[in-house]
Each structure stands twice: as C-alpha cells, then as structure tokens.
Amino acid sequence: WQPLWGMGVLGVGSVPSGCPMAALGRAGGARVGEGTQLSIPHSAPQCWEVRKQNSSEWCRFIRSNPDCQMDGGFLDYLNGVFCVFPPRLLPLAVTLYALWLLYLFIILGVTAEKFFCPNLSAISTNLKLSHNVAAFSLTCPLHGVTFLAFGNGAPDVFSAVVAFSDPRTAGLAIGAIFGAGVFVTTVVAGGIALVKPFTAASRPFLRDVIFYMLAVFLTFMVLYFGRIRLGEALGYLGLYVFYVVTVVLCTWIHRRQRGDGAAPPGPWEPEMPTDSEEPEPSGTNSSDYGEEYRPLLPSQETSLRILTTALSPLDYRKWRRKPWYWRLFKAFRVPVELVLLLTVPVVDPDKDDLNWKRPLNCLHILTSPLLCILTLKSGAYGLYQIQGVFPVWGLVTLVGSVLAIIIFITTSNEEPPKYHCVFAFLGFLASAMWINAAATELVNILRTLGIIFQLSNTVLGLTLLAWGNSIGDTFSDLTMARQGYPRMAFSACFGGIIFNILVGVGLGCLLQMSSSQPLVKLEPDSLLVWVLAGALGLSLVFSFVSVPAQCFQLGKAYGICLITYYLVFLCVALLTEFRVIHLSTS
C-alpha cells in the first residue's frame, strides 16, 4: 500500500482496488481538504460529516471513523474537541485551539530566529563559506538576503513537508505556499513602499521575479497535468540550485567589475551589505548595556553560576526599559525560550568564547539527542524497546550521560574546546526537530479547525498558515525598511519565497515517492486552487511590468495598489470558498 495524498487527495502511483484506506475520500470530505479528487469508493463516511450527526454521537463517530485518525503529532485534537469537551462547550474548545495555534506560531518563530538561524550561520562560518558566496534567498532577521534561506524558510518548508505527508492535509501545503507568496509580494512589498519610498535594485529584482515566475509556471503545469514525476520534483530542486548559482555568479561578476570587494554596493546590488551599511552601534545597545557593570578585574565564575545565567531568557535591565506590550509578549515567549535553551545548543562565532557555556553544553549532550529521538515520529522510535527489554531513550540517556561527564572533565569554563563547532551541528539538528514537531501540531490543529467549520484545507493554508508563517518576515522586512534599508527588504520579498515554493513542493513530493512508484498525482478540481495560482502569477506580472515602468522608483501609489490587490484577491478567494463564485455546470 502506498499512501494516498494530495491537496485534497494525491495518489502515489495507483490505488489498489479494495484497499481499506481507499475510503478516505477527499481529505476529510467534499469540503475539508477540497482541491483534488481521486476516483475512490466512498463506503465510509467522511470526517467532516461529524457535524451532521447528533451531538451525542460525535465522540463515537470520531473514534470509529478511520478518516478521523491523526497519523502524527502528540495530541489528538479531534478526539479532544468532540470527546473531551461536551457539545455545549464547543466554542470554548475552539477558543483554546485558536490560542494554542497562535502559540505554535510563536514556537516556530522563536526556534527559527534564536536557535536555527544562528547555528546555521555558525555552520557556514565553520565550513569557510563567506557571506559573498553564501548570499542568496531569504532574509534572516538582521542580515538582509543571506545564506540562511533554510533558516528563515524552515517553518514554511517543514509545514509544507508535514502537510504533504498526509492525504487529508496536503491542501494546506499548496494553500500556504501560494498564499504566502501572494501575501509577501503584495502586502509586505507594498508596506515597504508605503513606509519608505525608494529606488528598487533593478537587476536583482528582475532576476528574482523571473525565477519566481518560472517556479509558479512550473507548479501551474504540474497542477494542469495532474501529476508530478520524479524528474519534475528534482526539477524544482534543480531550479533552486540554478538560482543560487546565478546569484553567486552575478555577485562575483559585479564585484570583479567594481574591482574592490570592500566597496559599498552599487545602487542595484542591495543583497551584499558591508560594514559601511550596518548601523553604528549605540552606547545604549542592549548587548553593550552591561559594560559598565562588568568588573575591572577578571574573575572566574562557578559552573553553577554559569548554568543559571545561561538558562535565564530575561535581561532584567532590558525588561525595565521596554513598554508593557513588549513585556506581555516576552512573558509568553519565556517558557518556550527556557525549554529551547535546555535542549538546543547555540554556537555564536561573533562572541569571543563562541557562546561556550561548559555546564549547559554538557547538559545539551544529554538533552539534545533525547529531544531528537522523542520527537521523531512522535516518539515512536524513542519508546521502542531493544529486544523488548531496554528502551531506546534509556540507551541514549546512558550514552549521553557518559559523554557529558567526559566533556565536563576534559574542558574548562574559560576556553571552548577545539571540537566546539560540533555543537552547531547538534543545535541545528535539535532545532530542526523542534520546528518539525511544532509544524506537525500546527497542521493537525488546522485540519481540526477545518473539520469543525467545514472549510477546505486550501483556504486554511492561504489564510491562517500563510499569515502565521509570514508574520516574522513581515515584521523584519518592515523594520529593515524603517531603519533605512528598503531596497534590501524589498529584494528579500521576491528572493526569499523562491526557496519556499521550490524546496517546499520539490522536497515534499520527493519524500513521498518510492522506487516502485515515482509519481505523485495532483488533480485539482476546486476553482479556489486556480484562483490562488492565478492571483500569484498576476501579482508577479504586475510587479514585473509596473516596477520597470516607474524606472524602479517605488512610492506610496505602488504600495497602495499592491495592498488593494491583496484585499480583492482575499475577497474573491473567500467568495469562491463559500461557493458564491463558482463554475456553472451544464
């Protein structure tokens, strides 16, 4: 048996006749997961039909219907909302789920920003990849368009891969990838033009828009033909590699023409910020604020003191200076940051000690591997018992404890060991597992909300999932524009999302193929899918034509047009979802 999966249902190869899973239908039914269709029998009721049952039958229906079973994740959200909560408390359950959904987005953002990106940057430094060579794709919060495409794109890509792995949730992936593309290229790009009118970087802009239009056209053709083969999935990844090579080659040619690699970038090359572009650090910068409190004579801190300081996610001097809303948001982030500090090491090449915290890093030798095995496949591998006697998590705990003791004995608090760079790879893996676990819960809870409200996965993807995954880029790009770097932020809008669509779709489909069935079927029959694809393509064509027509001088009129376009698109998408706009059938 090969799993069914798709935007509503995708088939990997053919569906065996008589297969018991063939009764899954369209990703939760005719409404939930709508977007593709596969000719399969509907002998069993679909999960979305639970709301049609008497409220006293909800729990029995959920537990007995195979279409309502959650394949991954730690929490069974459908069982919780229909079995744990009585029917009269359904609004309370939905409210709690919505709050948990917001918190999952916070977990994704904090993990990517403070743990995944820094470790990926440290890995690039240890591999001797200069930022000249590594400059491509998405913005990481403080660096413009940098090597860390995977860092900032990790939540989007992990969400896409997780959604693609289940036939009932894959519509979230297409909706989120296309929806985020429309949102970033209209709302975020338009917001940058409103905040700070500027002259766009011509050649990087044209390059990124052309590559993105190619990616959208490739996806459009895949949807039109209703399938994606192994060669096409590899073509997605190959196109991204070609994009990276093009960026690196263009940067190298430009620097050769300029003749001075350290000179400030030209007006068309914003993605290579040099030291002269960076804002001068102020005397009240939070990282320098504690200089006056530093003792004149060096003193050796105890291991316990180092551990407690390293595990504190709060800077109390910064806390006192910040407004109340910042403190409120920080209070929500503190539990997440504390757990991440306990389980994910961070290597910082910009610090003299590379962020070496001996007692905490030794603890990470134990906690990081435990995290990895207990989150992989929702803990199935970690709880597996070797020879039916000894659990895997016990073996990992034993080996990790021995290694931690050895490292603690053979190192000092003052100087990091020569193999400290290994902690960057460990932190990269641990933070990736955190992102994957949060993305799995995110997809499951969105599917649950879709079943409760009888909404398709596509519309949930282009709204909630797309907005949640794009909120970090929105704030970082707008902040960058306000600080005087609108060209850098604008370039990130079009260059960054190329990674999401090419790697998200390519890798997501590639992981579902097998040697015997190198084919994934994509058969969209929902008008909303075509509205989404057409809206993204039209927004790119609009920018591709209008930006050069304005001689790359972008002002408030351009920003207002883009934001208006997104609002119109959102109205059309919602009207299509609720069948106000539909294709006439004769």
Side-chain angles (χ1 to χ4, degrees):
W1 159 248
Q2 295 291 340
L4 292 172
W5 64 281
M7 283 182 299
V9 171
L10 291 106
V12 182
S14 59
V15 181
S17 59
C19 173
M21 294 298 289
L24 284 178
R26 279 194 298 163
R31 295 293 298 152
V32 180
E34 184 180 64
T36 60
Q37 185 175 10
L38 199 60
S39 297
I40 52 180
H42 292 270
S43 58
Q46 308 304 299
C47 194
W48 68 273
E49 297 178 21
V50 63
R51 296 298 304 276
K52 293 184 176 181
Q53 311 295 318
N54 188 289
S55 59
S56 61
E57 299 293 320
W58 284 356
C59 184
R60 183 195 61 79
F61 183 91
I62 289 295
R63 289 178 174 174
S64 61
N65 194 333
D67 189 34
C68 298
Q69 304 308 309
M70 295 286 185
D71 293 333
F74 294 93
L75 300 176
D76 190 340
Y77 296 102
L78 284 171
N79 185 75
V81 73
F82 291 113
C83 296
V84 176
F85 287 89
R88 66 179 182 276
L89 294 182
L90 182 62
L92 174 61
V94 171
T95 303
L96 294 176
Y97 279 19
L99 293 175
W100 175 233
L101 180 69
L102 294 176
Y103 204 69
L104 286 172
F105 281 121
I106 293 177
I107 294 174
L108 284 172
V110 171
T111 308
E113 177 187 352
K114 292 186 174 295
F115 296 86
F116 195 86
C117 280
N119 280 313
L120 201 54
S121 179
I123 290 174
S124 69
T125 301
N126 288 318
L127 295 178
K128 308 300 181 183
L129 293 176
S130 68
H131 289 284
N132 295 345
V133 176
F136 57 87
S137 285
L138 198 56
T139 53
C140 220
L142 296 177
H143 295 89
V145 185
T146 72
F147 171 75
L148 300 178
F150 190 34
N152 255 17
D156 307 82
V157 173
F158 274 100
S159 298
V161 171
V162 170
F164 269 133
S165 66
D166 192 293
R168 300 159 296 184
T169 59
L172 289 170
I174 295 296
I177 290 174
F178 277 6
V182 179
F183 181 82
V184 172
T185 57
T186 55
V187 175
V188 181
I192 292 170
L194 288 174
V195 168
K196 189 81 170 180
F198 65 100
T199 301
S202 58
R203 279 177 273 187
F205 167 76
L206 294 175
R207 175 199 66 210
D208 293 340
V209 171
I210 289 172
F211 269 98
Y212 197 28
M213 287 194 296
L214 284 175
V216 173
F217 178 75
L218 178 60
T219 307
F220 185 88
M221 295 305 296
V222 166
L223 294 174
Y224 178 78
F225 287 109
R227 67 182 184 276
I228 178 169
R229 299 182 184 275
L230 177 61
E232 293 161 341
L234 294 175
Y236 274 91
L237 302 178
L239 182 59
Y240 184 72
V241 172
F242 181 56
Y243 168 70
V244 172
V245 172
T246 302
V247 173
V248 173
L249 185 61
C250 290
T251 302
W252 180 78
I253 292 174
H254 172 61
R255 291 184 177 275
R256 286 292 298 270
Q257 291 176 345
R258 203 168 58 191
D260 182 8
W268 57 270
E269 189 64 52
E271 66 255 61
M272 302 301 299
T274 61
D275 292 339
S276 60
E277 290 181 309
E278 297 295 333
E280 291 295 326
S282 62
T284 59
N285 190 296
S286 60
S287 61
D288 300 323
Y289 190 82
E291 291 291 335
E292 59 184 288
Y293 299 97
R294 186 168 297 174
L296 296 177
L297 297 177
S299 59
Q300 291 186 348
E301 291 184 306
T302 64
S303 296
L304 181 59
R305 171 76 174 177
I306 293 174
L307 179 62
T308 55
T309 303
L311 286 177
S312 175
L314 280 177
D315 183 338
Y316 295 101
R317 290 185 293 270
K318 186 177 181 180
W319 174 273
R320 288 196 297 267
R321 300 196 309 271
K322 292 294 183 178
W324 67 268
Y325 54 84
W326 184 94
R327 298 183 188 182
L328 180 63
F329 184 64
K330 184 66 176 179
F332 284 106
R333 289 173 51 139
V334 163
V336 178
E337 293 181 0
L338 181 60
V339 174
L340 289 169
L341 285 171
L342 278 168
T343 55
V344 183
V346 177
V347 177
D348 189 351
D350 296 329
K351 292 185 178 180
D352 293 336
D353 61 353
L354 304 177
N355 201 39
W356 166 249
K357 309 296 182 185
R358 177 176 167 235
L360 181 58
N361 288 141
C362 291
L363 182 62
H364 287 147
I365 296 296
L366 173 62
T367 58
S368 293
L370 271 177
L371 165 75
C372 293
I373 65 164
L374 291 178
T375 54
L376 189 63
K377 289 292 183 181
S378 303
Y381 293 147
L383 298 177
Y384 176 78
Q385 293 191 345
I386 304 172
Q387 299 294 326
V389 177
F390 198 69
V392 173
W393 67 264
L395 178 62
V396 172
T397 301
L398 182 62
V399 174
S401 300
V402 172
L403 289 176
I405 293 172
I406 293 174
I407 292 176
F408 188 83
I409 294 174
T410 58
T411 57
S412 65
N413 291 333
E414 291 74 27
E415 185 178 354
K418 294 181 179 180
Y419 52 82
H420 186 223
C421 61
V422 175
F423 284 88
F425 292 91
L426 182 62
F428 167 81
L429 180 61
S431 54
M433 296 306 298
W434 267 115
I435 292 174
N436 181 68
T440 302
E441 299 301 316
L442 189 69
V443 168
N444 286 341
I445 199 170
L446 283 174
R447 176 177 177 249
T448 301
L449 293 176
I451 290 173
I452 293 173
F453 295 107
Q454 299 189 14
L455 296 173
S456 71
N457 284 326
T458 304
V459 77
L460 288 172
L462 72 90
T463 53
L464 295 179
L465 189 54
W467 294 339
N469 284 340
S470 301
I471 194 68
D473 298 330
T474 302
F475 282 116
S476 62
D477 289 344
L478 293 179
T479 300
M480 194 183 305
R482 283 195 297 266
Q483 290 176 349
Y485 306 109
R487 280 184 291 182
M488 191 185 303
F490 188 74
S491 179
C493 290
F494 291 90
I497 49 180
I498 295 175
F499 175 84
N500 295 349
I501 186 170
L502 291 178
V503 178
V505 176
L507 186 62
C509 292
L510 191 64
L511 291 177
Q512 302 309 311
M513 296 180 182
S514 65
S515 57
S516 59
Q517 300 289 354
L519 174 69
V520 173
K521 290 184 179 179
L522 291 159
E523 299 178 356
D525 67 344
S526 170
L527 180 60
L528 181 59
V529 177
W530 300 113
V531 169
L532 186 54
L536 178 56
L538 188 59
S539 72
L540 293 174
V541 171
F542 172 75
S543 292
F544 184 72
V545 173
S546 63
V547 172
Q550 301 173 77
C551 298
F552 299 92
Q553 302 283 338
L554 305 183
K556 294 185 176 181
Y558 175 73
I560 292 174
C561 287
L562 288 180
I563 295 176
T564 303
Y565 176 87
Y566 183 79
L567 294 176
V568 172
F569 151 73
L570 195 59
C571 291
V572 172
L574 293 177
L575 291 175
T576 304
E577 167 69 13
F578 294 110
R579 307 301 177 92
V580 177
I581 299 176
H582 57 85
L583 293 175
S584 59
T585 56
S586 57

